[in-house]
Amino acid sequence: MVTSLPPRSTIPIEETWDLSSLYNSSDSFNLVLENLEQEAKDLNRKFQGKIVDSSTIILVLTDYMAFLEKLVLLSTHANLAVSTDQTDDKAQLQSSKFGAAAAKIGSTLSFITSELLTLPKETVEQAIEESAEFNVFLKKLLRKKPYQLHPEAEKSLAAYSSTFNAPYGLYNTTKMVDMNFEDFEVNGQQYPLSYVSFEGDWEAEPDTEIRRAAFDAFSKKLKDYQHTTAKTYDMQLQTEKTTADLRRYDSIFDYLLFNQEVNRSLYDRQIDLITKELAPHMQKYAKLLQKVHGLDRMTFADLKISLDPSYEPEITVEESKQYIDDALAIMGPDYIEMVDRSYSERWIDFAQNKGKSTGAFCSSPYGNHPYILISWTGRMNEVFVLAHELGHAGHFYNANREQNILNARPSLYFIEAPSTMNEMLVANHLLKNSGDLKFKRWVISSIVARTYYHNFVTHLLEAAYQRKVYERIDAGQSVNAGILNTIKRSVLEEFWGDAVDITDGAELTWMRQPHYYLGLYPYTYSAGLTISTQVSKRILNEGQPAVDEWLEVLKAGGTKSPVELAQMAGVDITTEQPLRDTISYIGELVDELVRLTNEIEAE
């Protein structure tokens, strides 16, 4: 456990990622950025007003694609550099500089989309027939035609892109720079507190008195910033609502779901079915935790504790590699080579340091290798977290090699399927290779408490809360801290019923997630895990043929819709059945935990 977070400058280099393959100095970064601003102007002069037929469509998209490949490397470097230390003024200034330049570039090049969409539909369709490389991009572009604004309006909106992104930056600055946590005290002893240590350590602390005291201290500090954070969030919401109205979408939901290539029914189904049908299973799990730990009452602060803290294995970074290699070996030698390179070539940032972004993520820039951020605490459950992020890496490692930059990225609806698939493969591997009752219970509880709790409960409850917020915004209203607290509390109370006491501070959970600044993202975790649960069962039962089909899905990138990608993997998400099967599977896992606990306690 980290007693206090050190500054980034003191972190051993082997715990950090190596960004030099993107850019190795600020001078080279600035030079390329200046060149790209000029290239954007050159593209504008070369093509603006001249996109008139299928041949010029193909020419402009060829140049635009080459331009994007260079821009995405700059964008990635700017974002990754600041994510590891948001107290670093140099990184902050570089990120701001890139944001301002990217807005100018976007405005300069907005004519491409505008001119393509003002062409007769037949002209674009001719280009689709003539170019296999751009047909997917152009088909998706034609879908936007009813929502496209006048070219000058599009240019103005693009110029304001950095301003529109400002709420997300403000949220992160408030959270990671301005919010400093004081130590908290239990029985005369002081304990250090930070965002990273709370979410990485104190939430799962076995000592109930310390855990609840940490939750209270953490919540107290969040409360100090609730009004600023709520105002920041409302700025984001109002920007999205204005954009949806300007583009003549029927609702803010239609606007935010448009690029996901799914309709409102798939979105609502995930929230409604899980809220109703998963809740009884998770309430049973909460009561099991209360019983095993002998708690006087089950509170919101107790939901992240391990079923058996005394059995929580510890693991080093080096040891994690063998577990992951063994678990993911079924994916084939090319996939494992990627995993091995991620360790040996320092694609992963393991460090815990002051100013580092919380949680974990994977960034996979086109034309380079993936990068993974995680804060490694040495708990075995982080093997699941790392496997999850390597699932994202494996997805884009394959898609980026097979598709061009315009076709590589799939719908957000599907994005969490490859990541959660890896968690399932790790769990299946661990279960298959041990008959020990306590180890088996630990593995199953990890699946429930990490994989399914995180993706089917935490993010699902975010989605249920988010839907209520957007319904309010769609009706022309706004939000403040009091309203957001009330909505969040009501969602938590509805899901947990009388199994969990939603204590003061739980309602502030809305302040902890950056997902709300990324549109309708939270519900996609359960959507992805629904798909991966079904495919992992196929892999267990069918072996290599199911693996081969899954690899083809990864390679397809964004050339198919989420429904088509799922169908390629043998899952029909147009029906409720995959989701109902997955909820039923979670219920079976919880029942197995109850059975194993009774058996272990009877020994």
Side-chain angles (χ1 to χ4, degrees):
M1 180 180 292
V2 173
T3 54
S4 61
L5 288 177
R8 180 75 176 180
S9 59
T10 65
I11 299 296
I13 193 169
E14 61 271 16
E15 294 181 21
T16 67
W17 54 25
D18 179 9
L19 301 183
S20 63
S21 65
L22 292 168
Y23 292 97
N24 55 18
S25 72
S26 57
D27 288 342
S28 64
F29 179 94
N30 291 332
L31 179 61
V32 173
L33 185 56
E34 289 174 14
N35 290 339
L36 283 180
E37 287 186 84
Q38 184 58 50
E39 281 187 41
K41 294 175 184 176
D42 293 341
L43 271 173
N44 183 288
R45 280 193 293 269
K46 182 178 179 181
F47 288 109
Q48 187 170 22
K50 301 170 186 174
I51 306 174
V52 294
D53 54 27
S54 60
S55 60
T56 50
I57 290 175
I58 294 169
L59 285 173
V60 70
L61 289 181
T62 300
D63 286 1
Y64 180 56
M65 190 167 65
F67 179 88
L68 285 179
E69 289 180 12
K70 289 179 275 190
L71 184 67
V72 75
L73 298 180
L74 278 177
S75 173
T76 302
H77 188 278
N79 291 331
L80 296 187
V82 77
S83 69
T84 52
D85 186 3
Q86 297 191 45
T87 68
D88 183 339
D89 289 341
K90 184 178 177 182
Q92 287 279 11
L93 289 172
Q94 178 179 267
S95 178
S96 297
K97 181 176 183 177
F98 175 81
K104 290 180 184 177
I105 289 169
S107 181
T108 303
L109 297 182
S110 66
F111 78 92
I112 297 175
T113 298
S114 293
E115 291 193 21
L116 287 173
L117 289 178
T118 55
L119 288 171
K121 186 178 179 183
E122 295 76 19
T123 304
V124 179
E125 288 175 341
Q126 185 180 346
I128 290 172
E129 290 180 12
E130 293 176 2
S131 173
E133 187 158 33
F134 300 123
N135 61 10
V136 173
F137 172 79
L138 289 171
K139 285 177 183 176
K140 290 182 179 180
L141 191 66
L142 282 179
R143 291 181 63 234
K144 297 182 178 180
K145 196 173 180 70
Y147 310 107
Q148 189 72 2
L149 303 177
H150 186 279
E152 287 302 315
E154 292 290 349
K155 184 177 181 180
S156 297
L157 286 176
Y160 275 103
S161 62
S162 62
T163 303
F164 295 155
N165 292 331
Y168 187 32
L170 179 57
Y171 166 79
N172 280 319
T173 300
T174 302
K175 176 179 174 179
M176 301 309 304
V177 180
D178 286 345
M179 204 177 287
N180 289 310
F181 295 84
E182 297 80 21
D183 292 353
F184 66 97
E185 182 178 320
V186 177
N187 296 327
Q189 184 170 345
Q190 297 286 320
Y191 297 91
L193 184 63
S194 68
Y195 239 110
V196 172
S197 67
F198 178 75
E199 295 188 342
D201 287 315
W202 298 124
E203 268 194 310
E205 166 62 41
D207 187 303
T208 299
E209 193 172 0
I210 295 174
R211 180 178 65 254
R212 291 178 178 175
F215 178 82
D216 289 342
F218 183 74
S219 299
K220 181 180 178 182
K221 178 56 66 173
L222 289 184
K223 194 170 186 178
D224 290 342
Y225 289 84
Q226 63 178 325
H227 299 295
T228 299
T229 307
K231 189 64 178 177
T232 302
Y233 183 33
D234 189 54
M235 288 164 56
Q236 173 75 22
L237 296 167
Q238 299 303 334
T239 299
E240 290 171 336
K241 172 61 175 169
T242 301
T243 305
D245 289 345
L246 279 174
R247 294 195 178 281
R248 303 179 298 278
Y249 284 91
D250 291 338
S251 73
I252 196 169
F253 294 97
D254 294 306
Y255 163 59
L256 294 172
L257 288 171
F258 182 84
N259 285 334
Q260 294 186 21
E261 300 177 78
V262 295
N263 57 37
R264 182 77 182 268
S265 65
L266 269 70
Y267 166 73
D268 286 330
R269 178 203 297 162
Q270 289 296 127
I271 299 172
D272 294 336
L273 269 182
I274 296 175
T275 300
K276 179 182 177 182
E277 298 188 10
L278 180 63
H281 299 305
M282 295 311 298
Q283 289 169 17
K284 181 187 288 188
Y285 173 70
K287 289 175 180 177
L288 177 64
L289 284 176
Q290 181 181 4
K291 172 178 173 285
V292 168
H293 286 271
L295 301 177
D296 57 335
R297 58 183 181 138
M298 188 68 185
T299 76
F300 187 77
D302 304 320
L303 284 168
K304 293 292 184 73
I305 53 178
S306 171
L307 192 58
D308 185 0
S310 67
Y311 197 78
E312 180 75 34
E314 293 189 359
I315 189 169
T316 64
V317 167
E318 293 74 20
E319 290 168 339
S320 71
K321 180 177 175 296
Q322 190 60 55
Y323 276 100
I324 290 174
D325 275 353
D326 291 346
L328 302 184
I330 193 170
M331 295 293 289
D334 183 63
Y335 199 97
I336 293 301
E337 181 190 11
M338 178 214 69
V339 173
D340 291 346
R341 287 181 62 197
S342 72
Y343 282 86
S344 64
E345 297 178 14
R346 290 175 48 217
W347 299 0
I348 308 170
D349 198 275
F350 291 100
Q352 292 191 70
N353 61 263
K354 183 176 176 59
K356 185 173 179 178
S357 294
T358 58
F361 67 75
C362 176
S363 177
S364 300
Y366 194 91
N368 204 289
H369 59 71
Y371 293 88
I372 293 171
L373 179 142
I374 185 174
S375 294
W376 191 264
T377 63
R379 286 197 173 98
M380 181 68 174
N381 67 3
E382 281 171 349
V383 171
F384 287 91
V385 181
L386 188 51
H388 177 106
E389 300 307 333
L390 284 165
H392 287 305
H395 188 186
F396 288 102
Y397 185 76
N398 280 279
N400 287 352
R401 290 188 301 177
E402 296 290 328
Q403 309 297 336
N404 67 42
I405 192 170
L406 299 174
N407 291 346
R409 193 169 187 82
S411 158
L412 198 63
Y413 185 94
F414 190 82
I415 212 79
E416 294 299 337
S419 53
T420 52
M421 165 63 81
N422 277 12
E423 293 189 56
M424 300 305 297
L425 293 178
V426 168
N428 291 341
H429 172 74
L430 293 175
L431 284 174
K432 185 174 67 175
N433 287 279
S434 178
D436 180 81
L437 289 180
K438 283 197 170 185
F439 184 77
K440 186 176 182 181
R441 183 174 70 164
W442 176 82
V443 173
I444 294 174
S445 66
S446 294
I447 303 171
V448 173
R450 226 263 18 131
T451 302
Y452 284 109
Y453 188 99
H454 186 67
N455 299 294
F456 254 76
V457 179
T458 298
H459 292 317
L460 187 279
L461 294 181
E462 289 173 9
Y465 152 85
Q466 190 182 42
R467 184 171 63 175
K468 290 178 181 292
V469 170
Y470 276 123
E471 285 170 349
R472 185 179 176 86
I473 299 301
D474 219 27
Q477 299 174 297
S478 60
V479 295
N480 59 28
I483 291 167
L484 295 175
N485 289 341
T486 299
I487 293 173
K488 188 63 181 180
R489 175 173 286 279
S490 70
V491 167
L492 293 173
E493 289 175 343
E494 179 185 356
F495 185 83
W496 290 111
D498 62 2
V500 178
D501 187 356
I502 307 301
T503 45
D504 288 346
E507 74 282 356
L508 298 170
T509 307
W510 64 267
M511 295 178 63
R512 293 169 54 182
Q513 278 293 357
H515 293 150
Y516 304 130
Y517 298 84
L518 304 174
L520 296 178
Y521 185 25
Y523 90 101
T524 66
Y525 280 85
S526 63
L529 185 50
T530 299
I531 295 167
S532 61
T533 298
Q534 301 307 309
V535 179
S536 68
K537 288 182 178 180
R538 284 195 62 210
I539 290 175
L540 269 179
N541 296 328
E542 302 171 31
Q544 198 61 47
V547 172
D548 292 342
E549 288 182 9
W550 184 243
L551 288 171
E552 290 304 309
V553 171
L554 302 185
K555 293 174 183 176
T559 60
K560 308 284 185 183
S561 71
V563 170
E564 292 169 330
L565 289 170
Q567 285 174 340
M568 286 176 67
V571 183
D572 184 4
I573 59 171
T574 64
T575 73
E576 295 181 349
Q577 200 57 48
L579 181 53
R580 289 188 182 277
D581 286 347
T582 301
I583 293 171
S584 176
Y585 175 65
I586 299 171
E588 291 170 8
L589 291 176
V590 173
D591 289 343
E592 180 69 359
L593 287 178
V594 173
R595 187 191 68 79
L596 285 169
T597 298
N598 291 337
E599 194 171 338
I600 290 167
E601 290 177 350
E603 287 183 346

